[in-house]
Amino acid sequence: MAKIAFLGLGVMGYPMAGHLAAAGHEVTVYNRTAAKAEAWAKEHGGSAAITPREAAAGAEFVMACVGNDDDLRSVCLGDGGAFGGMDVGAIFVDHTTVSARVTRELGAAAAEQGLSFVDAPISGGQAGAENGVLSVMCGGDQAAYDKAEPIIGAYARICRRIGDSGAGQMTKMCNQIAIAGLVQGLSEALHFADKAGLDGRAVVEVISQGAAGSWQMANRHETMLDDHFEHGFAVDWMRKDLGICLDAADETGASLPVTALVDQFYKDVQKMGGGRWDTSSLFKRLKAFD
């Protein structure tokens, strides 16, 4: 079993750290709100630290799941940052969805200190984290990945190294690009069914068994039709991710017309007061036009 630090106990990080403890690892957690770290330690039997550096001291692996580029820089390099407490040879695994740019920046900073850095963004939502069935897409050194993969396996259904530093984050952008189009397509299908006087549930029962079927259709159509939008990844977070996608598209020369359009639709949802609604609220935006 390994000595592990986990930084960031949000809706994803809290259960992910719990799976590590349940697997028998020695886990020390850090969270910006210290009370949450203390509650986790009481629930799972681990330890709570008051800074990332303190949490990372002596850890073989330091896992992070925070908010954005600036948050990640802060827990790595800021006052009391984790890199300052890590031993040579230790591995930092970042589960945050951030830009490939900051990943490469921090990967280089880690290497200067004799550390390894694996970018390992996740997909599967809160339910995936709670049930330990996340999809994890990784970038970084092969040897570091090989060591980290069994640890990540405590909360992953699939974990794959895609390439060098930043490849995990770029793969996560592919994930978000695909989801954006799927959710808008599903929203339009349900909206059309309603306008045509059809039973949306009956429509989905049939079309989900054919080429139109998707995870979004199977898991979100019921809540969309019931006007419930508190079941997963928030619109504010999706707009953050789509902004990263669009910036990366500018850098790589990729064309993302649908993604750019759906990003503006999510902006409309924010203006409706739905920044904390889940991403399936694109359907609510269409209904607002009725």
Side-chain angles (χ1 to χ4, degrees):
M1 295 294 103
K3 183 175 182 180
I4 300 172
F6 203 105
L7 315 178
L9 300 175
V11 295
M12 304 294 284
Y14 196 101
M16 291 165 70
H19 287 300
L20 291 172
H25 299 296
E26 180 184 345
V27 183
T28 300
V29 297
Y30 163 80
N31 194 67
R32 187 161 48 190
T33 304
K36 197 165 190 179
E38 292 166 1
W40 184 95
K42 183 176 181 180
E43 180 180 350
H44 294 283
S47 302
I50 60 174
T51 67
R53 180 172 183 163
E54 180 183 315
E60 301 163 69
F61 299 90
V62 179
M63 331 298 276
C65 191
V66 291
N68 54 36
D69 285 24
D70 291 339
D71 293 333
L72 182 62
R73 281 194 188 94
S74 179
V75 299
C76 289
L77 303 175
D79 291 340
F83 284 8
M86 294 173 69
D87 296 335
V88 171
I91 299 172
F92 192 99
V93 179
D94 176 36
H95 291 304
T96 316
T97 298
V98 292
S99 67
R101 181 173 57 254
V102 77
T103 290
R104 294 174 185 131
E105 171 193 323
L106 293 173
E112 289 180 1
Q113 296 184 214
L115 311 173
S116 294
F117 190 101
V118 176
D119 53 301
I122 51 181
S123 181
Q126 183 176 350
E130 291 172 350
N131 294 319
V133 291
L134 294 168
S135 296
V136 188
M137 49 221 84
C138 300
D141 177 73
Q142 181 72 58
Y145 170 79
D146 288 343
K147 292 176 182 177
E149 184 183 11
I151 306 299
I152 296 170
Y155 41 75
R157 172 161 46 198
I158 184 170
C159 180
R160 292 289 182 272
R161 177 183 178 271
I162 308 300
D164 294 333
S165 182
Q169 295 296 346
M170 297 299 271
T171 303
K172 179 60 183 288
M173 294 308 101
C174 295
N175 185 80
Q176 303 306 72
I177 290 164
I179 288 173
L182 284 169
V183 175
Q184 179 62 20
L186 175 58
S187 298
E188 292 184 16
L190 294 176
H191 180 65
F192 179 85
D194 179 63
K195 288 296 187 182
L198 305 176
D199 180 337
R201 289 173 172 79
V203 168
V204 168
E205 182 181 10
V206 175
I207 69 173
S208 64
Q209 303 306 307
S214 69
W215 185 96
Q216 297 292 336
M217 183 176 288
N219 290 276
R220 287 289 175 263
H221 81 277
E222 292 270 4
T223 55
M224 291 164 77
L225 291 170
D226 288 338
D227 200 40
H228 291 164
F229 301 102
E230 300 174 357
H231 299 278
F233 196 65
V235 167
D236 286 343
W237 301 338
M238 186 60 154
R239 286 216 71 210
K240 183 263 291 186
D241 289 1
L242 294 183
I244 295 172
C245 293
L246 296 170
D247 286 345
D250 286 341
E251 295 171 5
T252 61
S255 178
L256 302 179
V258 174
T259 302
L261 184 60
V262 175
D263 179 57
Q264 292 305 300
F265 293 162
Y266 279 125
K267 185 176 181 179
D268 292 341
V269 174
Q270 288 176 320
K271 290 178 179 177
M272 294 166 59
R276 304 303 294 178
W277 297 341
D278 71 61
T279 53
S280 67
S281 56
L282 287 175
F283 180 58
K284 193 175 185 74
R285 174 188 171 274
L286 288 172
K287 289 178 67 179
F289 295 150
D290 290 350

